[in-house]
Amino acid sequence: EPEVTQTPSHQVTQMGQEVILRCVPISNHLYFYWYRQILGQKVEFLVSFYNNEISEKSEIFDDQFSVERPDGSNFTLKIRSTKLEDSAMYFCASSGRVRETQYFGPGTRLLVL
Amino acid sequence: AQSVTQLGSHVSVSEGALVLLRCNYSSSVPPYLFWYVQYPNQGLQLLLKYTSAATLVKGINGFEAEFKKSETSFHLTKPSAHMRDAAEYFCAVTPLGGSQGNLIFGKGTKLSVKP
């Protein structure tokens, strides 16, 4: 069964460093998303991406964040200068023609020191 | 604005007992509603969804949920709990019935199953 994959599974970085989180969505999907879950809190929407551009973003998704689909398979989230409060589990998701059904990857746990 | 409230951050049941996880939503338009499950150290897996068809929705692993518009509820049930059901369960809503993509999640309910 096709699935969303994410790399790395864990990342530790120093405050102020740039990180890139990678996702490979399900191959025929059209919509791509990033969510995050700070430890002990709810899952929060960050951004959605369709047709090579951002379609929606939340207040969390400020200028420090960017997304890209550099090729036909990868979908990346870049945090330009990480802050302590960026420590969280980051989930990628994708959906196809049935847009509301999103399939989530296993997540990348980011720890900013 | 749409929101989801999950009553009870932690629910504990005995193996074989009924599971009832509560979810209430607020929405000014007919919503799409979802239940996701998160097993320890894993991602989110879709259990079931309501998208304005049948109000009683059956999902994977024996779970089902009923959409009750009058009560603005979408509670998740399973007749008989199994040890493997121990996980965190999230209720979610999509604004504007799916025309926007982002999911709004509740805070989650952690289900424990006692032998």
Side-chain angles (χ1 to χ4, degrees):
Chain A
E1 185 176 328
E3 58 183 18
V4 177
T5 59
Q6 291 184 242
T7 54
S9 58
H10 293 79
Q11 176 138 11
V12 181
T13 190
Q14 295 290 323
M15 190 170 58
Q17 294 295 304
E18 174 184 285
V19 295
I20 297 176
L21 309 182
R22 290 183 167 79
C23 169
V24 178
I26 294 172
S27 64
N28 61 347
H29 279 186
L30 305 171
Y31 301 90
F32 313 109
Y33 312 85
W34 284 101
Y35 292 81
R36 78 172 185 191
Q37 184 182 29
I38 294 172
L39 190 64
Q41 298 187 26
K42 64 170 73 175
V43 177
E44 300 172 291
F45 168 75
L46 292 178
V47 66
S48 60
F49 192 85
Y50 171 72
N51 200 24
N52 285 320
E53 61 183 27
I54 290 173
S55 49
E56 297 164 74
K57 60 182 181 179
S58 72
E59 292 176 353
I60 303 167
F61 193 87
D62 61 22
D63 292 343
Q64 293 297 314
F65 292 89
S66 62
V67 289
E68 194 177 33
R69 190 156 160 81
D71 52 43
S73 60
N74 289 284
F75 179 52
T76 62
L77 174 69
K78 182 191 292 186
I79 309 175
R80 191 172 314 141
S81 177
T82 50
K83 302 188 277 284
L84 297 176
E85 54 266 36
D86 294 327
S87 296
M89 180 75 92
Y90 288 81
F91 292 107
C92 173
S94 69
S95 60
R97 294 170 69 181
V98 181
R99 181 177 180 182
E100 70 275 2
T101 302
Q102 297 181 26
Y103 295 87
F104 283 75
T108 294
R109 187 172 294 283
L110 175 67
L111 178 60
V112 182
L113 301 176
Chain B
Q2 263 118 341
S3 66
V4 172
T5 301
Q6 290 184 244
L7 296 175
S9 59
H10 196 176
V11 170
S12 182
V13 300
S14 297
E15 195 172 17
L18 171 72
V19 176
L20 171 61
L21 304 182
R22 298 178 187 273
C23 173
N24 289 88
Y25 68 91
S26 69
S27 175
S28 57
V29 295
Y32 288 359
L33 293 156
F34 308 81
W35 277 98
Y36 281 84
V37 60
Q38 185 179 31
Y39 297 103
N41 301 312
Q42 294 189 30
L44 297 164
Q45 181 181 6
L46 181 65
L47 269 180
L48 49 81
K49 64 178 181 180
Y50 166 78
T51 56
S52 72
T55 56
L56 182 62
V57 181
K58 294 188 184 300
I60 61 172
N61 302 338
F63 284 93
E64 62 182 39
E66 186 172 7
F67 173 70
K68 290 187 177 180
K69 185 178 178 181
S70 61
E71 297 177 9
T72 60
S73 69
F74 190 58
H75 302 331
L76 182 71
T77 60
K78 182 174 180 176
S80 176
H82 193 279
M83 296 296 290
R84 63 173 173 260
D85 296 326
E88 189 151 21
Y89 292 80
F90 294 91
C91 184
V93 63
T94 295
L96 298 180
S99 64
Q100 296 184 28
N102 53 301
L103 291 168
I104 297 170
F105 285 87
K107 290 187 175 180
T109 298
K110 188 165 288 189
L111 176 66
S112 301
V113 182
K114 298 174 290 189

Short mmCIF file of all heavy atoms in Angstrom, two decimals, chain A residues 34-89:
data_model
loop_
_atom_site.label_atom_id
_atom_site.label_comp_id
_atom_site.label_asym_id
_atom_site.label_seq_id
_atom_site.Cartn_x
_atom_site.Cartn_y
_atom_site.Cartn_z
N TRP A 34 1.92 20.34 5.59
CA TRP A 34 2.77 20.17 6.77
C TRP A 34 1.97 20.55 8.00
O TRP A 34 1.25 21.57 8.02
CB TRP A 34 4.03 21.02 6.70
CG TRP A 34 5.08 20.50 5.79
CD1 TRP A 34 5.36 20.92 4.52
CD2 TRP A 34 6.01 19.44 6.06
NE1 TRP A 34 6.39 20.18 3.98
CE2 TRP A 34 6.81 19.26 4.91
CE3 TRP A 34 6.24 18.62 7.16
CZ2 TRP A 34 7.82 18.32 4.83
CZ3 TRP A 34 7.24 17.66 7.09
CH2 TRP A 34 8.02 17.52 5.93
N TYR A 35 2.11 19.72 9.04
CA TYR A 35 1.53 19.96 10.35
C TYR A 35 2.64 19.80 11.37
O TYR A 35 3.67 19.18 11.11
CB TYR A 35 0.44 18.92 10.67
CG TYR A 35 -0.80 19.00 9.83
CD1 TYR A 35 -0.84 18.45 8.55
CD2 TYR A 35 -1.95 19.61 10.31
CE1 TYR A 35 -2.00 18.50 7.78
CE2 TYR A 35 -3.12 19.66 9.56
CZ TYR A 35 -3.12 19.10 8.29
OH TYR A 35 -4.28 19.15 7.54
N ARG A 36 2.42 20.35 12.56
CA ARG A 36 3.37 20.08 13.63
C ARG A 36 2.61 19.77 14.92
O ARG A 36 1.46 20.16 15.10
CB ARG A 36 4.32 21.25 13.85
CG ARG A 36 3.72 22.39 14.62
CD ARG A 36 4.73 23.43 14.98
NE ARG A 36 4.13 24.46 15.82
CZ ARG A 36 4.70 25.60 16.13
NH1 ARG A 36 5.91 25.88 15.67
NH2 ARG A 36 4.11 26.47 16.91
N GLN A 37 3.30 19.07 15.80
CA GLN A 37 2.73 18.70 17.09
C GLN A 37 3.80 18.93 18.15
O GLN A 37 4.73 18.14 18.28
CB GLN A 37 2.26 17.24 17.08
CG GLN A 37 1.56 16.80 18.35
CD GLN A 37 1.16 15.34 18.30
OE1 GLN A 37 1.81 14.52 17.66
NE2 GLN A 37 0.10 14.98 19.01
N ILE A 38 3.65 20.02 18.86
CA ILE A 38 4.53 20.25 20.00
C ILE A 38 4.18 19.24 21.09
O ILE A 38 3.00 18.93 21.27
CB ILE A 38 4.40 21.70 20.50
CG1 ILE A 38 4.91 22.66 19.41
CG2 ILE A 38 5.16 21.91 21.79
CD1 ILE A 38 4.65 24.12 19.71
N LEU A 39 5.18 18.77 21.78
CA LEU A 39 4.99 17.70 22.77
C LEU A 39 3.85 18.03 23.72
O LEU A 39 3.83 19.08 24.34
CB LEU A 39 6.29 17.48 23.54
CG LEU A 39 6.33 16.25 24.44
CD1 LEU A 39 6.21 14.99 23.61
CD2 LEU A 39 7.61 16.24 25.26
N GLY A 40 2.88 17.12 23.78
CA GLY A 40 1.76 17.29 24.71
C GLY A 40 0.66 18.19 24.21
O GLY A 40 -0.32 18.41 24.94
N GLN A 41 0.80 18.70 22.99
CA GLN A 41 -0.21 19.62 22.47
C GLN A 41 -0.89 19.02 21.23
O GLN A 41 -0.55 17.94 20.78
CB GLN A 41 0.42 20.96 22.15
CG GLN A 41 1.02 21.65 23.37
CD GLN A 41 1.50 23.05 23.08
OE1 GLN A 41 1.01 23.71 22.15
NE2 GLN A 41 2.45 23.52 23.85
N LYS A 42 -1.84 19.76 20.71
CA LYS A 42 -2.59 19.25 19.57
C LYS A 42 -1.80 19.39 18.27
O LYS A 42 -0.85 20.16 18.18
CB LYS A 42 -3.93 19.95 19.43
CG LYS A 42 -3.85 21.42 19.14
CD LYS A 42 -5.21 22.00 18.78
CE LYS A 42 -6.14 22.12 19.93
NZ LYS A 42 -7.41 22.80 19.59
N VAL A 43 -2.19 18.63 17.30
CA VAL A 43 -1.61 18.75 15.97
C VAL A 43 -2.11 20.05 15.33
O VAL A 43 -3.32 20.33 15.34
CB VAL A 43 -2.02 17.54 15.10
CG1 VAL A 43 -1.48 17.67 13.69
CG2 VAL A 43 -1.54 16.24 15.74
N GLU A 44 -1.17 20.83 14.78
CA GLU A 44 -1.52 22.13 14.22
C GLU A 44 -1.14 22.21 12.75
O GLU A 44 -0.04 21.80 12.35
CB GLU A 44 -0.75 23.24 14.95
CG GLU A 44 -1.00 23.32 16.44
CD GLU A 44 -0.04 24.31 17.10
OE1 GLU A 44 1.17 24.02 17.15
OE2 GLU A 44 -0.52 25.38 17.55
N PHE A 45 -2.02 22.77 11.97
CA PHE A 45 -1.78 22.96 10.55
C PHE A 45 -0.74 24.06 10.33
O PHE A 45 -0.79 25.12 10.98
CB PHE A 45 -3.10 23.34 9.87
CG PHE A 45 -2.97 23.86 8.47
CD1 PHE A 45 -2.70 22.99 7.42
CD2 PHE A 45 -3.13 25.20 8.19
CE1 PHE A 45 -2.60 23.46 6.12
CE2 PHE A 45 -3.03 25.69 6.91
CZ PHE A 45 -2.77 24.81 5.87
N LEU A 46 0.18 23.82 9.41
CA LEU A 46 1.15 24.84 9.04
C LEU A 46 0.84 25.41 7.66
O LEU A 46 0.67 26.62 7.49
CB LEU A 46 2.56 24.25 9.03
CG LEU A 46 3.15 23.83 10.37
CD1 LEU A 46 4.53 23.22 10.16
CD2 LEU A 46 3.25 25.02 11.31
N VAL A 47 0.80 24.52 6.67
CA VAL A 47 0.73 25.00 5.29
C VAL A 47 0.19 23.91 4.38
O VAL A 47 0.36 22.72 4.65
CB VAL A 47 2.13 25.44 4.84
CG1 VAL A 47 3.08 24.25 4.77
CG2 VAL A 47 2.10 26.19 3.51
N SER A 48 -0.49 24.33 3.31
CA SER A 48 -0.88 23.40 2.27
C SER A 48 -0.35 23.90 0.94
O SER A 48 -0.12 25.11 0.76
CB SER A 48 -2.40 23.22 2.21
OG SER A 48 -3.04 24.44 1.94
N PHE A 49 -0.16 22.98 0.02
CA PHE A 49 0.57 23.27 -1.22
C PHE A 49 -0.12 22.54 -2.35
O PHE A 49 -0.41 21.34 -2.24
CB PHE A 49 2.00 22.76 -1.05
CG PHE A 49 2.99 23.20 -2.07
CD1 PHE A 49 3.64 24.42 -1.95
CD2 PHE A 49 3.32 22.39 -3.15
CE1 PHE A 49 4.60 24.82 -2.87
CE2 PHE A 49 4.27 22.78 -4.08
CZ PHE A 49 4.92 24.00 -3.93
N TYR A 50 -0.40 23.28 -3.41
CA TYR A 50 -1.07 22.67 -4.56
C TYR A 50 -0.62 23.36 -5.82
O TYR A 50 -0.48 24.60 -5.84
CB TYR A 50 -2.60 22.79 -4.40
CG TYR A 50 -3.38 22.39 -5.62
CD1 TYR A 50 -3.47 21.05 -5.99
CD2 TYR A 50 -4.02 23.34 -6.41
CE1 TYR A 50 -4.18 20.68 -7.13
CE2 TYR A 50 -4.73 22.97 -7.54
CZ TYR A 50 -4.81 21.65 -7.89
OH TYR A 50 -5.51 21.28 -9.01
N ASN A 51 -0.38 22.61 -6.84
CA ASN A 51 -0.02 23.18 -8.15
C ASN A 51 1.20 24.10 -8.03
O ASN A 51 1.23 25.19 -8.60
CB ASN A 51 -1.21 23.95 -8.72
CG ASN A 51 -1.11 24.14 -10.21
OD1 ASN A 51 -0.44 23.39 -10.91
ND2 ASN A 51 -1.75 25.17 -10.71
N ASN A 52 2.15 23.64 -7.24
CA ASN A 52 3.44 24.34 -7.07
C ASN A 52 3.35 25.68 -6.37
O ASN A 52 4.23 26.54 -6.57
CB ASN A 52 4.16 24.51 -8.42
CG ASN A 52 4.77 23.20 -8.87
OD1 ASN A 52 5.31 22.46 -8.07
ND2 ASN A 52 4.66 22.92 -10.15
N GLU A 53 2.31 25.86 -5.58
CA GLU A 53 2.27 27.07 -4.78
C GLU A 53 1.51 26.83 -3.49
O GLU A 53 0.72 25.89 -3.39
CB GLU A 53 1.68 28.24 -5.56
CG GLU A 53 0.25 28.03 -6.02
CD GLU A 53 -0.23 29.22 -6.84
OE1 GLU A 53 0.59 29.91 -7.47
OE2 GLU A 53 -1.45 29.45 -6.87
N ILE A 54 1.77 27.71 -2.53
CA ILE A 54 1.07 27.61 -1.26
C ILE A 54 -0.39 27.98 -1.47
O ILE A 54 -0.71 29.02 -2.06
CB ILE A 54 1.72 28.55 -0.21
CG1 ILE A 54 3.11 28.02 0.17
CG2 ILE A 54 0.83 28.68 1.01
CD1 ILE A 54 3.90 28.97 1.06
N SER A 55 -1.29 27.11 -0.98
CA SER A 55 -2.72 27.42 -1.11
C SER A 55 -3.29 27.99 0.18
O SER A 55 -4.20 28.81 0.16
CB SER A 55 -3.51 26.19 -1.56
OG SER A 55 -3.18 25.06 -0.79
N GLU A 56 -2.76 27.54 1.31
CA GLU A 56 -3.16 28.11 2.59
C GLU A 56 -1.99 28.03 3.55
O GLU A 56 -1.15 27.14 3.42
CB GLU A 56 -4.32 27.31 3.22
CG GLU A 56 -5.59 27.28 2.46
CD GLU A 56 -6.47 26.18 2.96
OE1 GLU A 56 -7.03 26.33 4.04
OE2 GLU A 56 -6.56 25.12 2.29
N LYS A 57 -1.97 28.92 4.52
CA LYS A 57 -0.98 28.80 5.58
C LYS A 57 -1.56 29.36 6.86
O LYS A 57 -2.47 30.19 6.84
CB LYS A 57 0.32 29.54 5.22
CG LYS A 57 0.15 31.01 4.96
CD LYS A 57 1.49 31.62 4.55
CE LYS A 57 1.34 33.12 4.31
NZ LYS A 57 2.64 33.75 3.93
N SER A 58 -1.03 28.87 7.97
CA SER A 58 -1.52 29.33 9.26
C SER A 58 -0.64 30.46 9.77
O SER A 58 0.40 30.80 9.17
CB SER A 58 -1.51 28.16 10.26
OG SER A 58 -0.18 27.84 10.63
N GLU A 59 -1.05 31.01 10.91
CA GLU A 59 -0.26 32.09 11.53
C GLU A 59 1.12 31.62 11.96
O GLU A 59 2.05 32.41 12.07
CB GLU A 59 -1.02 32.63 12.75
CG GLU A 59 -2.30 33.36 12.40
CD GLU A 59 -3.06 33.77 13.65
OE1 GLU A 59 -2.66 33.38 14.76
OE2 GLU A 59 -4.07 34.48 13.50
N ILE A 60 1.23 30.31 12.21
CA ILE A 60 2.52 29.77 12.64
C ILE A 60 3.53 29.87 11.51
O ILE A 60 4.73 30.07 11.73
CB ILE A 60 2.36 28.29 13.04
CG1 ILE A 60 1.31 28.13 14.13
CG2 ILE A 60 3.69 27.68 13.47
CD1 ILE A 60 0.89 26.70 14.35
N PHE A 61 3.08 29.73 10.30
CA PHE A 61 3.95 29.65 9.13
C PHE A 61 4.40 31.06 8.76
O PHE A 61 3.84 31.70 7.85
CB PHE A 61 3.19 28.98 7.98
CG PHE A 61 4.07 28.56 6.83
CD1 PHE A 61 4.70 27.33 6.84
CD2 PHE A 61 4.25 29.39 5.73
CE1 PHE A 61 5.50 26.93 5.78
CE2 PHE A 61 5.05 29.00 4.66
CZ PHE A 61 5.67 27.76 4.70
N ASP A 62 5.41 31.56 9.48
CA ASP A 62 5.89 32.91 9.22
C ASP A 62 7.06 32.88 8.24
O ASP A 62 7.32 31.86 7.59
CB ASP A 62 6.26 33.59 10.53
CG ASP A 62 7.37 32.86 11.29
OD1 ASP A 62 8.14 32.09 10.66
OD2 ASP A 62 7.47 33.05 12.50
N ASP A 63 7.77 33.99 8.15
CA ASP A 63 8.83 34.11 7.15
C ASP A 63 10.00 33.17 7.38
O ASP A 63 10.86 33.02 6.50
CB ASP A 63 9.35 35.56 7.13
CG ASP A 63 8.31 36.51 6.59
OD1 ASP A 63 7.34 36.04 5.96
OD2 ASP A 63 8.46 37.73 6.82
N GLN A 64 10.06 32.56 8.55
CA GLN A 64 11.14 31.61 8.82
C GLN A 64 10.90 30.27 8.13
O GLN A 64 11.81 29.46 8.02
CB GLN A 64 11.28 31.38 10.33
CG GLN A 64 11.75 32.60 11.09
CD GLN A 64 13.14 33.01 10.65
OE1 GLN A 64 14.04 32.20 10.52
NE2 GLN A 64 13.32 34.30 10.40
N PHE A 65 9.67 30.05 7.70
CA PHE A 65 9.31 28.78 7.09
C PHE A 65 9.17 28.94 5.57
O PHE A 65 8.74 29.98 5.08
CB PHE A 65 7.97 28.28 7.64
CG PHE A 65 7.99 27.86 9.08
CD1 PHE A 65 7.74 28.78 10.08
CD2 PHE A 65 8.24 26.55 9.43
CE1 PHE A 65 7.75 28.40 11.42
CE2 PHE A 65 8.25 26.14 10.76
CZ PHE A 65 8.00 27.08 11.76
N SER A 66 9.51 27.90 4.88
CA SER A 66 9.24 27.86 3.45
C SER A 66 9.03 26.41 3.03
O SER A 66 9.50 25.48 3.71
CB SER A 66 10.37 28.49 2.63
OG SER A 66 11.57 27.78 2.82
N VAL A 67 8.32 26.22 1.95
CA VAL A 67 8.10 24.88 1.41
C VAL A 67 8.45 24.89 -0.06
O VAL A 67 8.41 25.92 -0.73
CB VAL A 67 6.63 24.40 1.59
CG1 VAL A 67 6.33 24.09 3.04
CG2 VAL A 67 5.65 25.39 1.02
N GLU A 68 8.79 23.67 -0.50
CA GLU A 68 9.22 23.55 -1.88
C GLU A 68 8.94 22.14 -2.36
O GLU A 68 8.97 21.19 -1.57
CB GLU A 68 10.73 23.83 -1.97
CG GLU A 68 11.26 24.07 -3.34
CD GLU A 68 12.74 24.42 -3.32
OE1 GLU A 68 13.46 23.90 -2.45
OE2 GLU A 68 13.16 25.20 -4.18
N ARG A 69 8.67 22.04 -3.65
CA ARG A 69 8.58 20.73 -4.28
C ARG A 69 9.63 20.73 -5.38
O ARG A 69 9.35 21.07 -6.53
CB ARG A 69 7.18 20.51 -4.83
CG ARG A 69 6.91 19.11 -5.30
CD ARG A 69 5.42 18.82 -5.26
NE ARG A 69 5.05 17.70 -6.12
CZ ARG A 69 5.18 16.42 -5.80
NH1 ARG A 69 5.70 16.07 -4.63
NH2 ARG A 69 4.80 15.47 -6.61
N PRO A 70 10.87 20.41 -4.99
CA PRO A 70 11.99 20.59 -5.92
C PRO A 70 11.98 19.67 -7.12
O PRO A 70 12.58 19.99 -8.15
CB PRO A 70 13.20 20.32 -5.03
CG PRO A 70 12.69 19.45 -3.93
CD PRO A 70 11.27 19.87 -3.70
N ASP A 71 11.29 18.56 -7.01
CA ASP A 71 11.20 17.65 -8.14
C ASP A 71 9.83 16.99 -8.10
O ASP A 71 8.97 17.43 -7.36
CB ASP A 71 12.34 16.61 -8.08
CG ASP A 71 12.39 15.92 -6.73
OD1 ASP A 71 11.32 15.56 -6.20
OD2 ASP A 71 13.49 15.76 -6.19
N GLY A 72 9.64 15.96 -8.86
CA GLY A 72 8.32 15.36 -8.93
C GLY A 72 7.93 14.50 -7.75
O GLY A 72 6.79 14.06 -7.67
N SER A 73 8.87 14.31 -6.81
CA SER A 73 8.54 13.38 -5.74
C SER A 73 8.70 13.97 -4.34
O SER A 73 7.96 13.59 -3.44
CB SER A 73 9.38 12.11 -5.86
OG SER A 73 10.76 12.41 -5.78
N ASN A 74 9.64 14.88 -4.15
CA ASN A 74 9.89 15.37 -2.79
C ASN A 74 9.10 16.62 -2.48
O ASN A 74 8.75 17.42 -3.36
CB ASN A 74 11.39 15.68 -2.63
CG ASN A 74 12.22 14.43 -2.59
OD1 ASN A 74 12.26 13.72 -1.59
ND2 ASN A 74 12.88 14.13 -3.70
N PHE A 75 8.81 16.78 -1.20
CA PHE A 75 8.14 17.98 -0.69
C PHE A 75 8.87 18.35 0.58
O PHE A 75 8.95 17.55 1.51
CB PHE A 75 6.66 17.68 -0.43
CG PHE A 75 5.85 18.82 0.11
CD1 PHE A 75 5.85 20.06 -0.51
CD2 PHE A 75 5.06 18.65 1.22
CE1 PHE A 75 5.10 21.11 -0.02
CE2 PHE A 75 4.30 19.70 1.73
CZ PHE A 75 4.32 20.93 1.11
N THR A 76 9.44 19.56 0.64
CA THR A 76 10.30 19.90 1.76
C THR A 76 9.76 21.07 2.56
O THR A 76 9.07 21.95 2.03
CB THR A 76 11.72 20.24 1.29
OG1 THR A 76 11.66 21.39 0.44
CG2 THR A 76 12.34 19.08 0.54
N LEU A 77 10.10 21.06 3.84
CA LEU A 77 9.82 22.17 4.74
C LEU A 77 11.16 22.68 5.24
O LEU A 77 11.93 21.91 5.81
CB LEU A 77 8.95 21.73 5.91
CG LEU A 77 8.71 22.77 7.00
CD1 LEU A 77 7.82 23.89 6.50
CD2 LEU A 77 8.07 22.12 8.24
N LYS A 78 11.42 23.96 5.03
CA LYS A 78 12.67 24.55 5.51
C LYS A 78 12.35 25.54 6.62
O LYS A 78 11.43 26.35 6.50
CB LYS A 78 13.39 25.29 4.38
CG LYS A 78 14.72 25.90 4.80
CD LYS A 78 15.29 26.84 3.75
CE LYS A 78 15.73 26.14 2.51
NZ LYS A 78 16.42 27.06 1.56
N ILE A 79 13.11 25.42 7.69
CA ILE A 79 13.07 26.42 8.75
C ILE A 79 14.39 27.14 8.70
O ILE A 79 15.45 26.53 8.92
CB ILE A 79 12.83 25.79 10.13
CG1 ILE A 79 11.62 24.86 10.10
CG2 ILE A 79 12.61 26.89 11.17
CD1 ILE A 79 11.39 24.10 11.40
N ARG A 80 14.35 28.43 8.42
CA ARG A 80 15.57 29.16 8.07
C ARG A 80 16.49 29.34 9.28
O ARG A 80 17.67 29.12 9.19
CB ARG A 80 15.22 30.51 7.50
CG ARG A 80 16.38 31.24 6.86
CD ARG A 80 15.94 32.49 6.15
NE ARG A 80 14.75 32.23 5.34
CZ ARG A 80 13.74 33.07 5.22
NH1 ARG A 80 13.74 34.20 5.85
NH2 ARG A 80 12.71 32.78 4.46
N SER A 81 15.94 29.73 10.39
CA SER A 81 16.74 29.98 11.59
C SER A 81 15.95 29.45 12.77
O SER A 81 15.04 30.12 13.27
CB SER A 81 17.02 31.48 11.74
OG SER A 81 17.72 31.75 12.94
N THR A 82 16.28 28.26 13.19
CA THR A 82 15.45 27.58 14.16
C THR A 82 15.48 28.25 15.54
O THR A 82 16.50 28.81 15.96
CB THR A 82 15.89 26.11 14.32
OG1 THR A 82 17.30 26.06 14.53
CG2 THR A 82 15.53 25.31 13.09
N LYS A 83 14.34 28.16 16.20
CA LYS A 83 14.19 28.66 17.56
C LYS A 83 13.86 27.48 18.47
O LYS A 83 13.42 26.42 18.00
CB LYS A 83 13.08 29.70 17.63
CG LYS A 83 13.28 30.90 16.72
CD LYS A 83 12.26 31.99 16.98
CE LYS A 83 10.96 31.75 16.28
NZ LYS A 83 11.04 32.07 14.86
N LEU A 84 14.06 27.69 19.76
CA LEU A 84 13.77 26.61 20.70
C LEU A 84 12.33 26.11 20.56
O LEU A 84 12.06 24.91 20.65
CB LEU A 84 14.01 27.08 22.14
CG LEU A 84 15.44 27.45 22.50
CD1 LEU A 84 15.51 27.98 23.94
CD2 LEU A 84 16.38 26.26 22.33
N GLU A 85 11.42 27.06 20.34
CA GLU A 85 10.00 26.71 20.26
C GLU A 85 9.61 25.99 18.98
O GLU A 85 8.46 25.60 18.81
CB GLU A 85 9.12 27.95 20.45
CG GLU A 85 9.44 29.10 19.53
CD GLU A 85 10.39 30.11 20.14
OE1 GLU A 85 11.32 29.72 20.89
OE2 GLU A 85 10.24 31.32 19.84
N ASP A 86 10.57 25.83 18.07
CA ASP A 86 10.31 25.02 16.88
C ASP A 86 10.43 23.52 17.15
O ASP A 86 10.11 22.70 16.28
CB ASP A 86 11.27 25.40 15.74
CG ASP A 86 11.05 26.81 15.23
OD1 ASP A 86 9.88 27.28 15.24
OD2 ASP A 86 12.04 27.46 14.84
N SER A 87 10.90 23.19 18.32
CA SER A 87 11.00 21.77 18.69
C SER A 87 9.61 21.15 18.68
O SER A 87 8.70 21.60 19.37
CB SER A 87 11.63 21.62 20.07
OG SER A 87 12.95 22.08 20.08
N ALA A 88 9.44 20.12 17.89
CA ALA A 88 8.13 19.51 17.70
C ALA A 88 8.27 18.30 16.81
O ALA A 88 9.33 18.05 16.22
CB ALA A 88 7.15 20.51 17.07
N MET A 89 7.18 17.58 16.67
CA MET A 89 7.07 16.54 15.64
C MET A 89 6.43 17.20 14.44
O MET A 89 5.38 17.85 14.58
CB MET A 89 6.22 15.38 16.14
CG MET A 89 6.05 14.28 15.14
SD MET A 89 7.53 13.27 14.98
CE MET A 89 7.16 12.00 16.18
#
